[in-house]
Amino acid sequence: MAVVREFTLPDLGEGLTEAVIVQWLVEVGEVVAVDQPVVEVETAKAMVEVPCPYGGVVTARFGAAGTEVPVGAPLVTVAVGAAPEDSAGRGSAPGSANGSASVAAPADPAPGAEGAGTDAAGSGNVLVGYGTSGAAARRRRILPSAAEAPARRSATTAPPATTNGTATNGTATNGTATGDAPGTAAADGPRTVAVISPLVRRIAREHDLDLRKVRGSGRDGLILRTDVESAVRALGERQSAAARTAGTADAAGPVPGEERIPLKGLRGAAAEKFSRSRREIPDATCWVDADATDLLATRRAMNVPGAPKVSLLALLARICTAALARYPELNATVDTTAQEIVRLPAVHLGFAAQTDRGLVVPVVRDAQGRTVEQLSAEIARLTDAARAGKLSPAELSRGTFTLNNYGVFGVDGSTPILNHPEAAMLGVGRIAAKPWVHDGELAVREVVQLSFTFDHRVCDGGIAGGFLRYVADCVEQPALLLRSL
């Protein structure tokens, strides 16, 4: 007998919480093998083909191309152990419009049936946090029935007895006299509120303030006007903060002709990372101008005919790894939970790359052990993959230091936002011909501005300044790198 398995969007790693369906790779009624890709999705990191850990007949697909699917939401249901004919037979069950809808019901089996047959029709851990072990049982919160709910409320907060809607003793909660405003407890529902003044109620009503959430400062907890006004101010501040965070439009409503771009996918992930960096990291920036004439001459000398080409970014990357070997304090991160600085043994060098999908930061693993030629080849490979949208999540994560060559946009300087949770970033502006004093004489030289942004928790200005000065010295005199070879 066939068992219908529900395959949900697995955890794709690196804190990704959703993905957008790009295209389906299977059709309803098609037979799939274990670990066969069934859908291609786009995450905030890359395009990913998602393999299904079950083999059988696809009985339903959930979501069309362009649909955003959260992690844990169903993607497909698969009839494990069924032949295509069996699937078609089930699809014609009475009461269903088509085959795909009628088989969705068995996807929520009785308790204990979810794990049946898993070992016989499964694969290994095909994706992060997802394998073919039985899915965790879904927990349902049991709500009280309509008959039980009033009884529970009356048991906890019983209202005072009333006659013709007026409190018989003329008092509110805590025994405070309410002769001027009889019946207020009954008007507010089962739970009474310690309020005497109608003005207090009017202020609360005008500002949509729930008086049951206000703590009174008067005698026996009586809510005074000052209490309500303080609560209104606090509510307004919370609403203003929420409006700023969500980027909501002002009270006038949408402006005619405005365009709204959803912050999701790659753009949303980048926005969240930038915001988190600004919230958590106390960064500072220093900068210096450097004469890059000799560095450009060194690159020309290295790029002889017949030899692999060396990029300028690779030379700058090699300078960074040499500087980090001298100043290891900067190849670090901060563990805010343990309140510790974590110095990292390997340099995983990220570099900013602009693509059609937006800004991405591919990571060169173990950059400290690579030659300039190897760095150049790996940077070129990752750049091509980034532009094609084929970078894996692993190639876009766990960097320890970032090199940002914003000079390709024709700008001289910048104060970039750190790539959370990294502690430092070197920025490189454009190289331009400028007047420069060289060997005691004024000359036209190729000058570049270098900026260095760092987390002030991991080091002081002396370390940061020493790092940047060493980088500038290597740019001006590339022969200094020979010391570290």
Side-chain angles (χ1 to χ4, degrees):
M1 180 179 178
V3 178
V4 176
R5 299 291 185 200
E6 182 183 83
F7 174 49
T8 60
L9 178 65
D11 179 6
L12 300 173
E14 296 303 320
L16 300 174
T17 57
E18 68 279 323
V20 177
I21 295 174
V22 176
Q23 62 174 336
W24 286 102
L25 306 179
V26 295
E27 299 291 337
V28 174
E30 184 176 336
V31 178
V32 296
V34 173
D35 290 351
Q36 177 180 334
V38 294
V39 65
E40 184 179 30
V41 299
E42 181 180 18
T43 70
K45 298 287 187 179
M47 307 273 278
V48 180
E49 289 186 351
V50 182
C52 178
Y54 306 123
V57 179
V58 177
T59 57
R61 301 186 317 194
F62 300 90
T67 302
E68 185 175 81
V69 182
V71 170
L75 287 176
V76 295
T77 54
V78 179
V80 178
E85 294 81 8
D86 297 336
S87 176
R90 272 195 307 276
S92 60
S96 69
N98 52 54
S100 62
S102 63
V103 297
D108 192 14
E114 181 66 24
T118 299
D119 296 337
S123 66
N125 249 348
V126 295
L127 284 170
V128 176
Y130 200 97
T132 53
S133 59
R138 295 182 178 179
R139 299 178 180 177
R140 290 184 174 86
R141 184 175 62 179
I142 300 176
L143 297 175
S145 64
E148 293 174 342
R152 292 191 180 187
R153 287 197 299 267
S154 63
T156 56
T157 56
T162 61
T163 302
N164 296 327
T166 304
T168 55
N169 57 2
T171 61
T173 305
N174 299 327
T176 305
T178 58
D180 295 337
T184 54
D188 283 338
R191 184 176 178 182
T192 58
V193 180
V195 176
I196 293 178
S197 170
L199 177 62
V200 170
R201 291 190 180 278
R202 181 171 63 81
I203 295 174
R205 186 168 55 252
E206 290 174 350
H207 293 86
D208 293 328
L209 179 65
D210 188 352
L211 287 173
R212 290 171 295 182
K213 299 180 180 178
V214 178
R215 178 174 297 179
S217 61
R219 182 179 178 182
D220 295 329
L222 183 67
I223 299 176
L224 306 178
R225 178 176 179 175
T226 54
D227 300 327
V228 174
E229 290 174 343
S230 298
V232 168
R233 284 195 298 271
L235 179 63
E237 291 172 359
R238 289 196 298 270
Q239 291 174 344
S240 298
R244 287 193 300 270
T245 302
T248 54
D250 60 20
V255 178
E258 72 179 12
E259 180 183 6
R260 291 179 174 246
I261 302 172
L263 277 174
K264 62 181 183 179
L266 179 63
R267 189 187 297 271
E272 171 57 28
K273 202 161 193 176
F274 296 152
S275 300
R276 185 177 182 185
S277 179
R278 275 288 187 242
R279 286 194 307 268
E280 296 184 6
I281 300 178
D283 58 351
T285 302
C286 52
W287 55 89
V288 67
D289 290 340
D291 181 1
T293 306
D294 290 346
L295 182 67
L296 296 177
T298 299
R299 177 173 178 257
R300 287 193 297 269
M302 296 175 71
N303 288 335
V304 295
K309 296 295 183 181
V310 171
S311 66
L312 182 60
L313 192 61
L315 282 172
L316 293 169
R318 184 66 186 88
I319 292 174
C320 285
T321 58
L324 288 172
R326 178 169 290 203
Y327 297 95
E329 299 92 338
L330 297 167
N331 193 52
T333 186
V334 175
D335 185 341
T336 54
T337 302
Q339 288 296 300
E340 295 174 339
I341 297 173
V342 183
R343 292 185 182 173
L344 304 168
V347 177
H348 302 316
L349 185 70
F351 63 94
Q354 192 70 35
T355 70
D356 293 338
R357 297 177 61 235
L359 179 68
V360 295
V361 184
V363 178
V364 178
R365 300 287 168 193
D366 299 310
Q368 79 283 355
R370 298 177 186 258
T371 65
V372 174
E373 280 189 1
Q374 292 170 338
L375 287 170
S376 185
E378 182 67 0
I379 289 173
R381 183 191 71 81
L382 291 172
T383 301
D384 291 341
R387 289 171 179 165
K390 297 298 183 182
L391 286 173
S392 67
E395 292 171 326
L396 285 164
S397 58
R398 300 191 184 280
T400 64
F401 185 92
T402 296
L403 175 60
N404 188 356
N405 182 20
Y406 46 76
V408 296
F409 303 118
V411 298
D412 293 324
S414 174
T415 55
I417 299 174
L418 288 178
N419 188 19
H420 185 279
E422 297 171 15
M425 176 187 294
L426 179 69
V428 182
R430 64 170 180 162
I431 300 177
K434 294 181 180 180
W436 189 267
V437 176
H438 178 67
D439 291 338
E441 295 183 356
L442 187 62
V444 177
R445 305 286 287 182
E446 300 293 331
V447 179
V448 62
Q449 185 180 96
L450 304 171
S451 65
F452 183 62
T453 302
F454 61 98
D455 185 341
H456 227 316
R457 295 173 298 180
V458 304
C459 72
D460 54 23
I463 297 294
F467 177 93
L468 184 59
R469 187 64 258 171
Y470 179 77
V471 169
D473 290 344
C474 289
V475 167
E476 294 183 337
Q477 304 175 60
L480 292 176
L481 288 174
L482 294 175
R483 291 179 176 268
S484 59
L485 294 181

